[in-house]
Amino acid sequence: MGVTVVFQWELVDGQTHQQAIQELHGRINNTGAVQEGKFYYESKFYQASDSATTRDFYTLKTSEYPVTVFARVDDSTKDKNSCIQCDSPMESLLVKLREFFTPKRTFEIRGTRFKLADFWIRPGIVTSSGSNKCVTIEIEYTPSYFADDCWPLFSELGSYILNRQIDDKPPTLMENNKQFNPGMMVQQYVEIFSRKATTQANFQQPMKQEQIQAYNTQM
Amino acid sequence: MNSGKMGAAGLDQEIGYNPILTATVKNEQGVRDVGTLSEYSLQGSVKDEFVEDVKNRLRGLCDNVECEPFIDHEISYSLQSSSGNAVTMRVSRSLAQSKMPWQLKYVGALETGKNKSCLMRNQVTVGCSENVTSFLTELGFRADTEFLSKGYLYRKGRIKVVLSKLCKMKEPGQHQEQNLLPLTKSHLVEVSVTTLTGGEDPGPDLKHFAEMLKPQVKLTKVDHREIQSHTRPNF
């Protein structure tokens, strides 16, 4: 595992999620990445029965770490390290807490995994209750644990794949030479799951045509 | 490469990984979790001055391997619902082997029915990262008790024998020798077998082992609820 950043793809007018993922596959193929199997994520949202004294939380399971369950309190405070890693019997333990925390929603992400040198790229569609919610692209750079060190690489690859300029600084939770841990990946997914469909704003404008051409010539 | 074709084909294929199926078994009544285990046990105690006798006895009775010394730090957390129901979770970690993961444990109600030859309780134990305490606190759990269990672990086949001394700490989190206060003047002796829930009752095996430990230790079905309801000095 290395630094992992999750981006959300902004759908252009009239574009379906399937079309978006096909476009993404095309762009990823153009970078020279090769397809290496599938990936799967499943997240459950547990709602506290008494919101005055207890908090909601998410669990996340993934095909990348098949015997591990991640759990994180539904909290927007990014500095807090409240994501725990557990062995898979955690599911059985949560059954015992059903009176206090009930599973309300399930989110799934399925897709094809690509490998480009030291990068893993995982584009997938987020589904919940059978309907498509959004498209995510996870980029992992395996040799580094510090986002500040490798952000220019992320910036270059991410900008091309996403067809938009991405931030020139790593996400806030990885800034200031914080060592990457799997909880940071979980937090990024939880933020996407908890984001309402109407707040797909805060995205920067897509690259202008001349920027794309300049970028393609560099590649 | 034709990315469109590849993408469509990729999404239609089944991945073949489903953590729900690996974590649970479906039966006619619905989904049954397989992480729940049943722990059958008998408990007793021995005065500190006779511990060496028990150790010698266990050395002869148990498997011919060195007993395993352990120091476990355990904290119990509880959560109470508005309707008055409560659930308790235990967090433990090994101080002897600091690289071992922390453990989060759910222990169900003790079953001491007359037709049972030993104590039985359901439990789920999960290995987890060290920030489990802050996770539980964030969720709303409150720390109840904290103690240190220090002793030796013996094995005889599937029977686990624990000979331990329970201590409390003068200050929370300070587990150095000089900060420990023994809770009693005796050692706890517990023999237990953990099996899959609904499996064969290992009670007779435990009873047989308990017989062999007499007269040094008398292992019985100790119902803690009765002890808690009676005020007993020096306990």
Side-chain angles (χ1 to χ4, degrees), chain A:
Chain A
M1 160 159 282
V3 174
T4 306
V5 183
V6 185
F7 299 99
Q8 191 172 338
W9 174 265
E10 191 184 10
L11 293 175
V12 292
D13 287 340
Q15 191 180 38
T16 65
H17 294 92
Q18 289 291 344
Q19 287 167 339
I21 209 84
Q22 284 180 11
E23 185 186 336
L24 267 172
H25 283 184
R27 300 189 74 80
I28 294 167
N29 277 324
N30 289 343
T31 63
V34 289
Q35 191 178 331
E36 287 229 350
K38 313 281 179 191
F39 74 94
Y40 175 86
Y41 282 80
E42 188 196 73
S43 175
K44 274 188 187 166
F45 172 67
Y46 286 81
Q47 194 174 45
S49 52
D50 181 5
S51 57
T53 53
T54 49
R55 306 274 293 274
D56 305 338
F57 68 98
Y58 285 85
T59 59
L60 183 83
K61 293 180 292 187
T62 163
S63 53
E64 311 300 291
Y65 307 100
V67 293
T68 303
V69 177
F70 299 96
R72 191 180 194 282
V73 176
D74 186 18
D75 186 353
S76 56
T77 315
K78 293 178 176 176
D79 289 338
K80 242 180 226 172
N81 181 23
S82 61
C83 174
I84 58 165
Q85 299 167 50
C86 307
D87 292 340
S88 49
M90 183 67 174
E91 287 278 302
S92 304
L93 195 142
L94 291 175
V95 172
K96 309 289 181 192
L97 299 178
R98 233 176 340 204
E99 192 187 336
F100 300 89
F101 305 98
T102 39
K104 283 288 174 191
R105 280 193 294 279
T106 303
F107 298 91
E108 284 186 326
I109 307 177
R110 289 173 187 269
T112 307
R113 193 169 52 182
F114 292 86
K115 185 155 178 58
L116 172 66
D118 289 328
F119 283 99
W120 284 102
I121 307 161
R122 301 184 186 93
I125 300 177
V126 180
T127 56
S128 176
S129 312
S131 61
N132 294 338
K133 295 291 177 193
C134 62
V135 175
T136 55
I137 306 102
E138 179 191 310
I139 301 178
E140 177 183 351
Y141 182 60
T142 48
S144 177
Y145 278 104
F146 297 95
D148 287 317
D149 293 349
C150 54
W151 193 248
L153 293 171
F154 270 94
S155 184
E156 192 176 338
L157 183 64
S159 298
Y160 176 73
I161 293 174
L162 294 165
N163 194 23
R164 63 179 167 87
Q165 197 66 44
I166 64 170
D167 287 336
D168 54 0
K169 281 195 289 187
T172 325
L173 75 160
M174 297 181 201
E175 266 185 333
N176 303 324
N177 267 331
K178 276 188 201 150
Q179 186 172 339
F180 182 81
N181 64 61
M184 293 177 176
M185 175 196 76
V186 179
Q187 180 168 337
Q188 293 177 78
Y189 275 114
V190 165
E191 278 174 21
I192 289 173
F193 298 149
S194 57
R195 197 177 291 163
K196 287 179 184 159
T198 48
T199 56
Q200 272 206 349
N202 304 328
F203 283 106
Q204 294 174 16
Q205 291 299 311
M207 269 190 195
K208 289 176 184 167
Q209 198 57 41
E210 53 267 30
Q211 280 179 307
I212 296 168
Q213 279 173 358
Y215 189 85
N216 287 341
T217 49
Q218 284 172 16
M219 293 289 286

